[in-house]
Amino acid sequence: MTKLFTPATFGDLHLKNRVVMAPLTRNRANPADHAVTSLTVEYYSQRAGSGLIVTEGSQISPEGKGYAWTPGIYSEAQVAAWKAVTDAVHAKGGKIAIQLWHVGRISHTSLLDGQAPVAPSALTAASRTFDGSAFVATSEPRALETAEIARIVEDYRKAAANARRAGFDAVEIHGANGYLIDQFLRDTTNRRTDAYGGSQENRVRFLDEVVGAVVSEMGAGRTGIRLSPFSNANDVGIDSDTVGLFSKAIDVLNRHKLAFLHMVEGQTGGPRDWPVGALETLRDRFDGAYIANNGYTRAMAVEAVESGAAEAVAFGKLYISNPDLAERLAVDAPLNPLPTEGLYGGGADGYTDYPALEPADS
């Protein structure tokens, strides 16, 4: 059998195949309490054929919110709502991880009760966010005080504890796409002069503390992370020494013995390009399972896993319109086309109404 469709063990996670559902923001949480809904239960349970589902980014605190109608994992109502999701996925034999998210400066005051977003440094992103009515320029952030950072690390710990109570098999720390952890890592967005800025060793400190906090609750074998070293998503910029910086970041992950590294290869949602040998250097440095992501086709995924370039491949957009993507890929069946509407916000249309393959005649 093609290796992509065979079982795998990543840390303490035993997966039925190596097709991963990547996190996809769909903006369908309840606006009143930022909890997922019964539609979310249906959406994820439809996709339980993947080896591992990674949920949409879920903010670890109200301060971590960056877009309208995104879910949280910091309140009892949110924990209970997510528990219905994990129960439904498990009932269909699936495994599911929640992506823990703090957007940092990629937010707007209207989403934060009038407060400024927080960031390593008071540098405004040339980016936009959705406030519930329109796409608006992100607000000017304020730089976090050194004494505040422990509070945010604690928010990550609490979110991981909540994820465990909600029945998740794992958590994925969102360290990619220009959000808070990524902002701390790069010299383009981190101009701090305290213990969290300046040298690469200092700039990976926040990552180290967050990973340690999450592992303390979920265990290393059930913790992974997403990184995007070669992406300028959300105007984060490209670090002056990408390979050196992310080598140190991966050393942090190895010290904590994380189960998997989910890597966005190249520009997020864009070109798959990077300096010759750079991605391979980082991939080979990581001790755990490497999950490749960004524009993979079936043929590319099969080759990556067969060759040992990746232990698994994550698919994003294809999972929107193909709830049974893993099953379709296994038999090389045609795929439903990606829609142009219904991606963000709304109800069942464009969310849970895509057809699955007809069962084969017995």
Side-chain angles (χ1 to χ4, degrees), residues 32-88:
D33 60 5
H34 308 109
V36 296
T37 69
S38 58
L39 266 181
T40 317
V41 175
E42 182 179 3
Y43 171 74
Y44 283 116
S45 65
Q46 288 175 342
R47 290 155 176 80
S50 64
L52 178 67
I53 293 170
V54 183
T55 73
E56 62 216 271
S58 302
Q59 54 258 14
I60 61 169
S61 66
E63 174 193 76
K65 180 182 178 181
Y67 304 85
W69 314 324
T70 54
I73 185 63
Y74 53 85
S75 74
E76 290 303 314
Q78 293 161 1
V79 170
W82 276 120
K83 184 64 165 61
V85 172
T86 62
D87 285 348

Side-chain angles (χ1 to χ4, degrees), residues 54 88 98 144 207 224 320 329 358:
V54 183
I98 188 170
L144 285 160
L207 169 70
I320 292 176
L329 294 178
E358 294 292 332

Side-chain angles (χ1 to χ4, degrees), residues 16-214:
K16 59 189 173 185
N17 60 58
R18 298 161 188 264
V19 177
V20 174
M21 178 180 171
L24 294 159
T25 296
R26 304 303 306 276
N27 304 86
R28 283 170 166 84
N30 186 335
D33 60 5
H34 308 109
V36 296
T37 69
S38 58
L39 266 181
T40 317
V41 175
E42 182 179 3
Y43 171 74
Y44 283 116
S45 65
Q46 288 175 342
R47 290 155 176 80
S50 64
L52 178 67
I53 293 170
V54 183
T55 73
E56 62 216 271
S58 302
Q59 54 258 14
I60 61 169
S61 66
E63 174 193 76
K65 180 182 178 181
Y67 304 85
W69 314 324
T70 54
I73 185 63
Y74 53 85
S75 74
E76 290 303 314
Q78 293 161 1
V79 170
W82 276 120
K83 184 64 165 61
V85 172
T86 62
D87 285 348
V89 169
H90 292 154
K92 289 192 172 182
K95 298 287 177 69
I96 184 168
I98 188 170
Q99 189 184 66
L100 302 183
W101 194 22
H102 191 305
V103 301
R105 67 179 185 162
I106 307 302
S107 191
H108 191 271
T109 55
S110 64
L111 298 168
L112 301 172
D113 293 328
Q115 299 299 306
V118 298
S121 302
L123 302 171
T124 305
S127 187
R128 303 178 75 80
T129 188
F130 182 66
D131 69 356
S133 59
F135 280 92
V136 297
T138 55
S139 299
E140 180 181 353
R142 68 172 181 84
L144 285 160
E145 299 290 338
T146 304
E148 292 183 277
I149 293 176
R151 167 181 61 79
I152 296 180
V153 172
E154 175 65 6
D155 286 340
Y156 275 99
R157 187 198 65 76
K158 290 177 180 177
N162 286 342
R164 182 165 44 79
R165 292 196 297 123
F168 283 99
D169 299 290
V171 298
E172 176 179 284
I173 300 166
H174 199 340
N177 296 356
Y179 297 117
L180 185 62
I181 291 173
D182 212 8
Q183 293 161 27
F184 265 94
L185 289 175
R186 305 190 191 215
D187 57 15
T188 51
T189 46
N190 184 341
R191 307 289 175 79
R192 302 178 72 89
T193 58
D194 63 0
Y196 294 89
S199 67
Q200 291 176 347
E201 289 79 6
N202 282 356
R203 284 183 278 126
V204 302
R205 190 184 308 276
F206 180 64
L207 169 70
D208 191 9
E209 292 178 357
V210 167
V211 171
V214 171

